Amino acid sequence: MKFTVADLLDQVPQDGSLEVSKLEKILRLTNRADKQSLSIALKGLDRLGVLNLEEESSVSRSDDIGLIEARLRCSSKGFCFAIRDDGDEDIYIRDHQLNHAWNGDRVLVRIIRDAGRRRSPEGGVQCILQRATTSLLAQVEQQDERLLAVPLDDRLLASIELPEGDSDYQLEGPVTSVVEVQLDRYPIAQHPARGHVARSLPLNGGVDADRDLLLTKAHLHSRASAPRTTIKAPADKRRKDLTDQPCLLLNNWEIDGAPLLPAVHVIPHDGGTQLWIHAPAVAERVNPGNSLDQWLCEQSEALCLGNKWIPLLSANISKAAAFKVGDSQSAVSLRIDLDAEGEARGWEFCLTQIRPVAEVTSEALAALAGRKPRSRAIPAALKSIKDQIGQLETLIFCAKALHAADLRQGKIELDLPTPNLETLGDLRATEPDGGNRQWIEPLRDEDPFSILAVFLRAAHATWTEHCLDFNLPALVLQANDPDSGPLNDVAKAAIALELPLSLDEEGTTSASELAQALIASPSRRVLNLQLRHTLPDPQYRLIQAKAKHIALAGEDDGSATETEDCLEAIDTANDSDEMSSPAQDGSTPLLAPWCCPGLHYADLLNQQVLCQLLNDGKDRPSVRQKETVNLGSKGAASSLSWPLFSGSLQQRLQELLQERQLQRLNSRRRQQTELRRDVIAMAQARSAEPMLDHEQQGVISGVQSYGFFVEIAPSMVEGLVHVSSLNDDWYEYRSRQNRLVGRRNRRVYKLGDPVTVRVTKVDVLRNQIDLDIVMTPEQAQQDESPMPVAVSEG
């Protein structure tokens, strides 16, 4: 079909009905077969109670509130949960209630059993809204008379029937390749899924082959070309000329095609600092809703594959909006006035024209850090930017103040740098926006992106507050609070390592307090790894504007036609219908990002809202009024007693951000995150291949009942010592102390212990490393010593 159930539901209004003929036009269904598919789908959804079909001529939404939209997440052991978009409790789905839904699918679920004290609610899949898997990696096997593709992803609990012609892809002997299988039919009733082999992918074809393999696994290997459209030029209206300002480009990327980066400028100001952040003006060059904008929404994220970038923006936009040293360029800017403690005393958003004067790299910052105090000699790495040494020192001072303020506000700091493997290319660098995670990294003076990430957090937090003041819509990255159970397990592991950790009356602690207590621990890295796994990944949420500052009909001409009665009605609406806040569900609100539109489409959307405020917002009640309000300055919203936008502009603003976009953006964000992890894991696994059958020194990074994980430097690759390989004794798992203890020899394997291991197997495809423990001579002698025998007298 040319549409999914999700596409269909998107077009049906929440209130009222839609004619089927209009729905056919919206979905661009022209031939008879496509229209018949729509008719069958509508009848099926009517029987399920999802839609109401009225005499096959119009369709409306059902008032059944028992259907919950969610995303299916399965494990390799067959456990499946429906993850709700509203952040409410996950719903357990038994295998016979899946109704052929697969991992990652968007589904409608009905709860069939309420939650108990220690039990999640149970439900059943009523309808599959959208399939997440259209192709997959598999191995071809002959089972009886059927030729099957067995997915490599063991979370897909199904096999796919293949035509007899694909039997040539069966492997005999060692596995040297896998196949990409395109789905021709999903399973339905008693009929299994069907597909065909699209191509074979080698497992040892080099870096390019590994990259293709991972893109195929993430369903990101086929991307449409950018449409040919005219790029707008940013308007000069209301644009400040800051070309005399010596702003800097902080850059730590080395690969061609890397995304656009902001520029920064900082000076001492009134006992603190004045920080300028200039973002590339991308939003002003894209018409919302046109073919280019839709293509950007489909891409959603820039992808780094180590030594290659798959950019988000088209080549012509990147060329037009990029900042270059010495070139004048349009920007969307923010000035923040900070005190010595890193607290914002004021700010101003504005449209500007800038001209960067220098690019600052890690070599320059390292030379600055190694420069002796009061030394007149200028290191070679700083000579090209010698006029900016003073600004660099102020810049580092400002970053330290902001970072300290973040920690005071309870931000979680984890020290988990990416392994320094050459094949990882730009993935080795700190992400310039900090990855927009629930945790932050320590500030590193010699890392340009570490400094830039601190500044961008401040910029994003400032825009979040500005949006809330004006009641503007925004996309906010938000994560749920970590579950207390896993968090307490990390606290127990820390206490078992004799860390001074204070717990509250209930015997628990917060993630930020726990992270702070780990800073001085020699086992900080392995404990940080444990703590990171307890922190949920942030997701995009929509803050939607309500009634505040909405224009009345007939105000497009700028005249002051509103009456006292209308203003009173607006005020009443504001009092009774507050804006939906991301903090209402008990989760931790994060930031509304807008500075990196070359990295994330969400930044571009937020920048669209910001530019509409600065370009089209009404800064005075009428054109006859001479005194204006600076809409970009702190506290400006409190000075407004008139509508901010005309009716048409308000409607356009509301159409910028839609709930349906969140699902695509969150899906793409998960894909990008998983792809990044897979690229790093495969590079680590490749680095472990030369270690095969060799002894290595490592540190125990995790302990489970089935064995313990060991991290091996410098690639930080993790391997598993399975408990079955510990044949010197019977080992008991003590979860409270996070350790394995031998019954006879009392040998202990606990978190943070240094061990010697031998690499016995490297599975690059599944990123699995098998290890055996290597006993020291003293341990081996201890094991060979006879057990004491008790002899009874008489």
Side-chain angles (χ1 to χ4, degrees):
M1 290 191 301
K2 291 184 178 181
F3 60 91
T4 65
V5 176
D7 295 332
L8 193 157
L9 293 180
D10 281 347
Q11 308 306 325
V12 180
Q14 294 291 339
D15 299 315
S17 61
L18 178 69
E19 293 181 8
V20 174
S21 58
K22 289 185 178 180
L23 183 58
E24 291 173 347
K25 292 180 180 179
I26 294 173
L27 297 175
R28 299 178 181 178
L29 307 180
T30 55
N31 60 53
R32 184 176 180 180
D34 290 337
K35 292 181 180 180
Q36 187 176 6
S37 296
L38 176 62
S39 177
I40 294 172
L42 291 177
K43 290 178 181 178
L45 293 173
D46 180 57
R47 290 184 179 182
L48 288 173
V50 178
L51 293 176
N52 294 324
L53 185 60
E54 301 169 5
E55 298 180 356
E56 300 188 16
S57 60
S58 64
V59 62
S60 61
R61 287 186 177 268
S62 170
D63 55 1
D64 187 351
I65 60 174
L67 293 175
I68 300 169
E69 187 170 346
R71 177 177 58 87
L72 200 63
R73 185 177 66 194
C74 299
S75 71
S76 57
K77 297 180 180 180
F79 299 107
C80 294
F81 287 87
I83 312 301
R84 299 174 61 159
D85 292 335
D86 57 11
D88 209 339
E89 191 172 4
D90 298 344
I91 304 169
Y92 176 54
I93 311 292
R94 296 183 183 272
D95 53 358
H96 66 278
Q97 294 285 356
L98 287 172
N99 289 329
H100 296 306
W102 289 353
N103 179 62
D105 289 349
R106 295 205 65 80
V107 294
L108 286 178
V109 175
R110 188 184 300 278
I111 293 179
I112 57 178
R113 178 182 292 180
D114 293 333
R117 288 187 59 187
R118 297 185 178 181
R119 187 186 68 235
S120 299
E122 292 186 22
V125 174
Q126 302 298 300
C127 178
I128 299 173
L129 298 176
Q130 190 170 25
R131 290 285 189 176
T133 303
T134 56
S135 67
L136 51 88
L137 294 177
Q139 290 177 339
V140 179
E141 296 181 3
Q142 185 76 42
Q143 295 183 7
D144 298 329
E145 297 180 355
R146 297 195 306 164
L147 188 66
L148 299 178
V150 180
L152 295 181
D153 188 348
D154 49 14
R155 297 171 300 176
L156 295 179
L157 311 175
S159 296
I160 295 91
E161 283 192 349
L162 299 177
E164 293 182 1
D166 288 342
S167 59
D168 295 340
Y169 292 99
Q170 283 183 270
L171 294 176
E172 296 180 2
V175 177
T176 59
S177 64
V178 295
V179 295
E180 178 194 356
V181 175
Q182 295 282 349
L183 272 299
D184 298 324
R185 185 189 71 188
Y186 293 100
I188 182 171
Q190 73 274 22
H191 303 290
R194 285 183 181 175
H196 66 278
V197 175
R199 55 178 176 151
S200 177
L201 298 166
L203 296 182
N204 297 299
V207 176
D208 290 340
D210 286 350
R211 183 185 300 131
D212 192 18
L213 191 69
L214 293 177
L215 282 173
T216 304
K217 178 183 176 183
H219 314 298
L220 295 170
H221 56 296
S222 57
R223 290 163 68 99
S225 300
R228 294 183 179 181
T229 57
T230 303
I231 304 300
K232 295 194 305 180
D236 294 331
K237 178 185 176 183
R238 302 184 183 181
R239 201 159 227 110
K240 290 186 177 181
D241 187 356
L242 297 180
T243 52
D244 292 336
Q245 181 191 92
C247 59
L248 303 173
L249 296 174
L250 302 179
N251 188 14
N252 208 21
W253 277 328
E254 301 174 351
I255 308 302
D256 292 339
L260 311 182
L261 289 171
V264 298
H265 173 70
V266 63
I267 57 173
H269 176 72
D270 197 18
T273 52
Q274 187 177 86
L275 172 65
W276 284 87
I277 300 166
H278 306 292
V282 176
E284 295 178 275
R285 303 175 191 272
V286 178
N287 283 315
N290 71 355
S291 58
L292 177 59
D293 183 49
Q294 292 175 6
W295 179 82
L296 290 171
C297 180
E298 178 67 26
Q299 310 311 310
S300 295
E301 299 281 340
L303 304 177
C304 182
L305 302 172
N307 291 319
K308 181 181 179 180
W309 278 94
I310 298 180
L312 165 63
L313 302 179
S314 60
N316 53 352
I317 294 182
S318 294
K319 183 178 179 180
F323 294 154
K324 296 180 181 178
V325 174
D327 289 355
S328 178
Q329 184 59 278
S330 299
V332 183
S333 303
L334 167 64
R335 188 205 76 235
I336 311 178
D337 298 327
L338 301 164
D339 61 19
E341 301 299 320
E343 303 293 339
R345 294 180 297 197
W347 64 71
E348 180 189 3
F349 291 92
C350 53
L351 304 175
T352 61
Q353 197 77 15
I354 67 167
R355 182 183 290 113
V357 298
E359 182 177 87
V360 180
T361 62
S362 56
E363 290 78 9
L365 291 177
L368 181 66
R371 188 185 182 201
K372 295 181 179 180
R374 300 182 182 179
S375 173
R376 295 185 178 181
I378 299 177
L382 288 173
K383 287 186 177 179
S384 61
I385 55 174
K386 62 181 180 179
D387 295 337
Q388 305 305 324
I389 291 177
Q391 183 180 179
L392 287 179
E393 293 172 340
T394 307
L395 181 141
I396 293 173
F397 169 83
C398 179
K400 289 180 177 178
L402 283 170
H403 186 75
D406 284 339
L407 295 179
R408 287 196 303 272
Q409 294 169 7
K411 291 285 197 307
I412 302 168
E413 181 184 278
L414 302 180
D415 189 8
L416 295 171
T418 304
N420 189 20
L421 297 173
E422 185 177 353
T423 54
L424 288 179
D426 279 347
L427 283 177
R428 295 175 294 177
T430 304
E431 294 173 86
D433 58 0
N436 289 330
R437 297 178 289 250
Q438 195 176 170
W439 51 276
I440 63 176
E441 295 183 346
L443 177 63
R444 296 179 174 87
D445 296 355
E446 301 176 10
D447 184 348
F449 283 171
S450 180
I451 296 171
L452 185 59
V454 176
F455 294 157
L456 296 190
R457 278 200 303 273
H460 297 162
T462 304
W463 175 239
T464 307
E465 188 169 344
H466 208 70
C467 276
L468 292 173
D469 286 347
F470 274 102
N471 208 354
L472 295 171
L475 285 177
V476 178
L477 268 171
Q478 181 186 23
N480 294 329
D481 291 333
D483 292 337
S484 58
L487 198 61
N488 288 340
D489 289 340
V490 181
K492 292 174 186 176
I495 293 173
L497 294 176
E498 300 181 352
L499 262 70
L501 184 64
S502 59
L503 304 178
D504 59 22
E505 295 179 355
E506 298 179 357
T508 60
T509 185
S510 69
S512 58
E513 292 172 340
L514 182 54
Q516 192 66 25
L518 303 182
I519 290 178
S521 170
S523 301
R524 181 185 183 185
R525 175 172 173 82
V526 293
L527 289 169
N528 278 179
L529 285 170
Q530 300 291 316
L531 182 54
R532 181 186 64 183
H533 295 320
T534 70
L535 303 176
D537 290 331
Q539 290 190 327
Y540 289 113
R541 304 281 177 87
L542 178 60
I543 301 177
Q544 191 61 269
K546 297 294 183 182
K548 190 177 182 181
H549 302 316
I550 295 178
L552 306 176
E555 292 179 329
D556 289 344
D557 58 356
S559 60
T561 60
E562 61 270 24
T563 64
E564 293 296 332
D565 292 340
C566 292
L567 287 175
E568 183 178 352
I570 292 177
D571 291 336
T572 303
N574 290 335
D575 294 336
S576 61
D577 194 7
E578 296 179 356
M579 184 178 64
S580 56
S581 169
Q584 290 175 353
D585 57 1
S587 54
T588 304
L590 292 183
L591 308 172
W594 62 275
C595 293
C596 297
L599 268 176
H600 315 288
Y601 181 71
D603 289 51
L604 175 58
L605 285 175
N606 282 329
Q607 197 181 100
Q608 291 274 15
V609 178
L610 172 54
C611 290
Q612 182 166 327
L613 171 68
L614 299 178
N615 277 319
D616 303 318
K618 293 180 63 176
D619 57 3
R620 49 187 169 175
S622 69
V623 293
R624 295 185 296 272
Q625 180 75 29
K626 293 184 178 180
E627 187 175 343
T628 62
V629 173
N630 185 346
L631 299 179
S633 63
K634 180 180 181 180
S638 61
S639 302
L640 263 64
S641 58
W642 57 89
L644 180 60
F645 296 113
S646 65
S648 59
L649 288 175
Q650 181 68 31
Q651 180 65 28
R652 190 175 74 180
L653 184 66
Q654 296 299 325
E655 292 173 353
L656 275 177
L657 306 177
Q658 300 291 332
E659 285 285 347
R660 193 64 187 171
Q661 287 177 320
L662 296 182
Q663 296 171 5
R664 173 162 296 281
L665 294 179
N666 284 324
S667 175
R668 288 298 193 193
R669 178 176 168 81
R670 285 191 296 270
Q671 286 178 309
Q672 188 266 354
T673 301
E674 291 176 3
L675 179 62
R676 178 185 175 88
R677 291 172 182 165
D678 285 346
V679 171
I680 294 173
M682 178 164 278
Q684 290 175 310
R686 291 295 186 194
S687 73
E689 287 180 320
M691 303 178 189
L692 197 60
D693 297 325
H694 289 75
E695 294 182 6
Q696 302 291 330
Q697 300 299 316
V699 176
I700 296 180
S701 57
V703 183
Q704 298 293 334
S705 59
Y706 51 82
F708 55 87
F709 293 92
V710 177
E711 188 179 67
I712 302 172
S715 66
M716 302 305 176
V717 62
E718 268 192 331
L720 174 66
V721 177
H722 198 272
V723 70
S724 62
S725 68
L726 302 174
N727 50 22
D728 62 316
D729 202 351
W730 180 271
Y731 284 85
E732 297 178 345
Y733 175 55
R734 299 184 179 177
S735 59
R736 288 181 176 273
Q737 300 163 332
N738 209 12
R739 61 184 63 184
L740 290 172
V741 180
R743 284 186 178 180
R744 178 176 63 87
N745 57 26
R746 314 308 297 171
R747 184 170 294 129
V748 175
Y749 294 106
K750 68 177 186 298
L751 203 66
D753 279 353
V755 290
T756 302
V757 294
R758 179 181 291 106
V759 181
T760 60
K761 182 181 178 182
V762 178
D763 188 336
V764 175
L765 192 60
R766 293 180 173 84
N767 300 320
Q768 294 177 354
I769 315 295
D770 291 345
L771 307 173
D772 278 346
I773 199 73
V774 177
M775 296 289 184
T776 64
E778 292 79 9
Q779 290 173 329
Q781 184 177 2
Q782 177 185 352
D783 290 343
E784 292 174 0
S785 61
M787 291 286 291
V789 178
V791 180
S792 61
E793 296 181 2

